[in-house]
Amino acid sequence: MHSKRGSRPSVVAMAAAAGTVAVGLLTAFVQASTQDAASGAHPGWEQSLRATRVPQQAAAPHGKPKAAPHGGAPAPRKVSRGISHHTEKGGRTVALTLDDGPHPEWTPKTLDLLREYHIKATFCLIGPNAERYPKLVKRIVAEGHRLCDHSVDHDTGMDHEPVAYQKRQILDAKKMIDKASGGAPVYYYRAPGGAFTPDSRRIAAGHGMRPLGWIVDPGDWQRPGADVILRHAEEQTSDGAVILFHDGGGDRSESYEALRQFLPWLKDRGYGFGFPKA
């Protein structure tokens, strides 16, 4: 028979174990809640941000591409493989990015709006859309905006596909964008849904395109209503943030209306506009 004194260590151990489990559950809950609040529910946001924890390749100056010897094609810009989430200028600036275009209705309207407010943005283009609407791609470039490769098929499961497939999605889209633009620089690569891999980042950077993430995702891709999109954008905005919006991928009337109200809101609060780190 065990005495009461002999039973005390097991009671203490049980209490300690229960406390450890409780702390673990609480920690997991807090982490999950924090990620959900920050992500805006966009698939891939967390994995996109997590990828920045991988040691980054040092960035080199990103001026004009150097000409290859003997008159060959210019060498790609040397850029970091690390995912860019912030503006080049830093401070009280933001970088507006627009995905899934060009679209024959919403891209021109968005360009008109940006011109009205004297804002430059980055357009993340789907390869076949660029091929279909080359005049819009040329207009984007002519008005001082930057180009970004957003793949051929917008496959959000690219991170589960073979490297050869990822390479085709990235480089075939770049060829389409290059042809549509007349050879304008493609500064970035944004993985569909944030589905980056070390290989896709290496491939993009090897062709002069900095992997591009985001900080602010107002969820406009879900079409929750312009008021909801606007509220989420205002709540998430912080100094130096890259902002995700859409000008393609279907009916973007809600995105356009939210952006129409969001741009003056940003200006009223002293935000300047720039490009993501390239």
Side-chain angles (χ1 to χ4, degrees):
M1 179 182 294
H2 296 287
S3 67
K4 291 182 179 179
R5 180 180 302 229
S7 67
R8 285 175 185 167
S10 61
V11 172
V12 171
M14 290 173 64
T20 301
V21 171
V23 170
L25 290 172
L26 178 60
T27 301
F29 174 77
V30 170
Q31 290 174 340
S33 300
T34 302
Q35 290 172 357
D36 288 344
S39 70
H42 193 292
W45 182 91
E46 195 274 336
Q47 67 182 0
S48 169
L49 194 61
R50 185 174 64 239
T52 62
R53 298 170 196 163
V54 177
Q56 298 182 3
Q57 171 185 305
H62 53 271
K64 292 183 179 180
K66 294 181 179 179
H70 310 298
R77 299 180 312 119
K78 291 183 178 180
V79 299
S80 171
R81 298 180 188 178
I83 300 174
S84 177
H85 289 91
H86 295 91
T87 62
E88 288 179 333
K89 295 179 179 179
R92 199 161 180 78
T93 62
V94 293
L96 179 64
T97 64
L98 296 137
D99 281 17
D100 298 353
H103 186 281
E105 179 178 4
W106 300 110
T107 300
K109 288 183 177 180
T110 300
L111 285 167
D112 290 345
L113 184 64
L114 295 174
R115 184 167 54 188
E116 178 184 348
Y117 285 97
H118 308 287
I119 291 168
K120 306 303 180 186
T122 298
F123 286 78
C124 298
L125 308 180
I126 302 296
N129 290 349
E131 192 172 53
R132 192 173 296 119
Y133 305 111
K135 289 183 179 179
L136 286 177
V137 179
K138 289 180 172 66
R139 179 181 169 186
I140 289 168
V141 174
E143 295 186 7
H145 307 288
R146 284 187 180 178
L147 300 179
C148 169
D149 178 336
H150 201 32
S151 83
V152 173
D153 295 313
H154 201 278
D155 181 355
T156 57
M158 270 180 63
D159 53 333
H160 300 295
E161 298 293 342
V163 175
Y165 174 86
Q166 297 177 46
K167 185 174 182 178
R168 287 195 302 272
Q169 286 285 317
I170 296 167
L171 299 187
D172 286 358
K174 185 178 185 299
K175 289 177 183 177
M176 295 175 187
I177 296 167
D178 287 342
K179 183 178 179 181
S181 72
V186 181
Y187 285 85
Y188 313 96
Y189 164 67
R190 172 171 278 165
F196 288 100
T197 67
D199 288 309
S200 69
R201 293 188 292 109
R202 172 182 55 79
I203 292 163
H207 288 79
M209 298 181 290
R210 175 81 184 262
L212 179 59
W214 61 87
I215 293 294
V216 177
D217 173 17
D220 68 314
W221 55 279
Q222 292 181 309
R223 300 186 184 94
D227 291 345
V228 174
I229 295 167
L230 179 62
R231 185 179 77 249
H232 288 169
E234 292 175 354
E235 289 172 351
Q236 295 176 33
T237 295
S238 59
D239 290 1
V242 172
I243 300 171
L244 173 66
F245 260 81
H246 292 75
D247 68 319
D251 179 4
R252 293 303 174 198
S253 54
E254 294 180 5
S255 299
Y256 175 80
E257 178 57 29
L259 192 61
R260 192 182 66 80
Q261 299 179 59
F262 185 44
L263 296 183
W265 182 90
L266 287 167
K267 289 215 164 189
D268 287 347
R269 281 152 185 79
Y271 281 101
F273 294 82
F275 294 113
K277 289 181 181 178

